[in-house]
Amino acid sequence: MMTSSVVGPPPVPPRRVLCIGAAVLDTLFRVRSLPMGQGKILPYEMLQVAEGMASSAAFAVARLGGHASLWGAVGDDATGERILSDLGDSGIDTSGMTVVQGARSAISTILIDDEGERLIVPFYDQRLHDTVRQVTENEISAFDAVLVDVRWPKLALRALVAAGKAGKPAILDGDVAGEGVIEMLAPAASHVVFSQPAAERLAGTADLVESVGRLKRKFEHAFISVTAGENGSLWFDQSGDIRHLAAPKVRAIDTLAAGDIFHGAFALAIAEGLPIEETMRLSSMAAALKCQVFGGRIGAPTRAQVCDALRDWKVRVSQEGEHIELSR
């Protein structure tokens, strides 16, 4: 089925999305190619930016016209101060962040090559997540949707449960995580959007269509989707069919944070009550536009930029029973 779509401007007042999870100071190095072994590699561009899965998703929410709040943890160090300042200056409400005495803030070194692929070396101090705040239904009721990543599972679970009790969308960024983390969080989520590596690992198959079906059978209560980079996104719709949305064709400069931008756009669209196909189109285009800009989450587009791109995008949506074209 060939369709085009234009997602309009955000509603007024803006919808409120709470993002929970990673807040990291990333040092990005742009290189011609990723290293194949030991030695020295010289970058030709460099920048530092506060991001991480939940943080980048929150930035996407803000860029797309929503109100973004972030709950995460930093240490009581200069890096933590930089993270809070950077994210706050980016339009994210960081008043709910936790500053942990005696802990080191998360940092990461990332190499990004000319094909847009990356090599990531992260460091997380486990003390950041030793203490978990209480999360009440009343507290969550102030938000229109909750999005959690897998980096702070105990807090994520409390927030998902509270969101369910409050009748709010409880969205899980189903990325690769430690043993049992997805299995703990997904039963409390209303929506789970998996990365391809996490889906393959959990479903036990590299076949994307089959993985969506297996994951839906595993988590029957939830909306299930898998994002797969240049292979677009797949989801299990209300009619019981597996749908596929081809990815926009772009020249990828930097894929870092593209999945996070997808999740932030998805959470905002769900909070706004957009139909699921419109939600997937908006999210896919936001992620694709980000890939054209070096700098991790800094490349997240505005709502106007996404709407302009959607006007020119002839979207191919296919479903189970039709040929779903995927790269090998």
Side-chain angles (χ1 to χ4, degrees):
M1 177 171 61
M2 297 294 295
T3 62
S4 62
S5 168
V6 177
V7 178
V12 178
R15 298 297 182 260
R16 300 174 63 87
V17 178
L18 171 62
C19 301
I20 297 176
V24 187
L25 183 61
D26 283 346
T27 302
L28 313 182
F29 294 104
R30 198 170 182 190
V31 299
R32 295 302 178 192
S33 60
L34 295 179
M36 301 299 292
Q38 64 178 359
K40 181 181 291 186
I41 184 168
L42 298 178
Y44 63 91
E45 194 169 351
M46 173 269 191
L47 65 82
Q48 287 187 312
V49 58
E51 49 188 4
M53 290 188 289
S55 299
S56 297
F59 183 62
V61 170
R63 289 282 284 171
L64 293 170
H67 183 282
S69 296
L70 178 67
W71 290 0
V74 297
D76 60 338
D77 52 17
T79 300
E81 292 177 2
R82 168 71 185 275
I83 291 171
L84 293 177
S85 175
D86 197 351
L87 295 176
D89 290 345
S90 297
I92 300 169
D93 177 6
T94 60
S95 60
M97 292 287 289
T98 300
V99 178
V100 183
Q101 300 297 312
R104 289 180 290 178
S105 299
I107 60 172
S108 183
T109 297
I110 302 171
L111 304 182
I112 301 169
D113 71 12
D114 284 346
E115 300 300 318
E117 296 304 321
R118 72 269 190 192
L119 174 66
I120 304 174
V121 184
F123 171 78
Y124 292 92
D125 187 338
Q126 295 302 314
R127 293 174 294 179
L128 288 172
H129 300 157
D130 280 348
T131 302
V132 184
R133 62 181 291 173
Q134 295 298 319
V135 181
T136 66
E137 179 182 342
N138 184 60
E139 198 173 17
I140 293 299
S141 294
F143 300 98
D144 297 297
V146 174
L147 169 67
V148 306
D149 69 27
V150 294
R151 290 294 176 257
W152 197 348
K154 292 181 180 178
L155 181 59
L157 181 59
R158 290 184 180 182
L160 291 174
V161 170
K165 291 179 178 178
K168 304 293 184 177
I171 304 161
L172 170 61
D173 174 350
D175 203 356
V176 175
E179 189 69 30
V181 170
I182 295 292
E183 291 86 346
M184 177 181 74
L185 297 178
S190 60
H191 301 71
V192 187
V193 181
F194 290 96
S195 67
Q196 182 176 353
E200 291 179 354
R201 177 175 170 181
L202 212 61
T205 177
D207 185 305
L208 285 169
V209 176
E210 177 63 22
S211 71
V212 175
R214 291 186 185 183
L215 291 169
K216 180 61 178 177
R217 290 191 291 273
K218 189 178 184 69
F219 306 114
E220 294 181 348
H221 67 287
F223 168 84
I224 297 295
S225 175
V226 175
T227 60
E230 66 179 9
N231 279 317
S233 54
L234 300 93
W235 69 94
F236 205 97
D237 74 9
Q238 292 180 338
S239 67
D241 290 324
I242 294 174
R243 305 293 298 275
H244 174 244
L245 177 64
K249 300 297 184 183
V250 298
R251 181 178 180 273
I253 299 298
D254 173 13
T255 60
L256 180 67
D260 309 326
I261 302 307
F262 185 104
H263 286 94
F266 180 92
L268 180 60
I270 292 297
E272 291 177 359
L274 292 182
I276 197 61
E277 280 197 19
E278 297 297 296
T279 293
M280 299 303 286
R281 290 177 182 135
L282 173 70
S283 306
S284 297
M285 184 56 74
L289 292 177
K290 180 264 129 351
C291 289
Q292 297 180 104
V293 181
F294 171 72
R297 59 105 173 158
I298 290 175
T302 65
R303 188 66 164 254
Q305 289 171 329
V306 173
C307 289
D308 286 346
L310 285 172
R311 290 188 182 96
D312 299 326
W313 187 31
K314 300 301 181 182
V315 184
R316 183 179 188 278
V317 180
S318 53
Q319 65 185 42
E320 200 171 12
E322 302 176 350
H323 174 62
I324 296 180
E325 184 176 346
L326 302 172
S327 300
R328 298 295 181 187

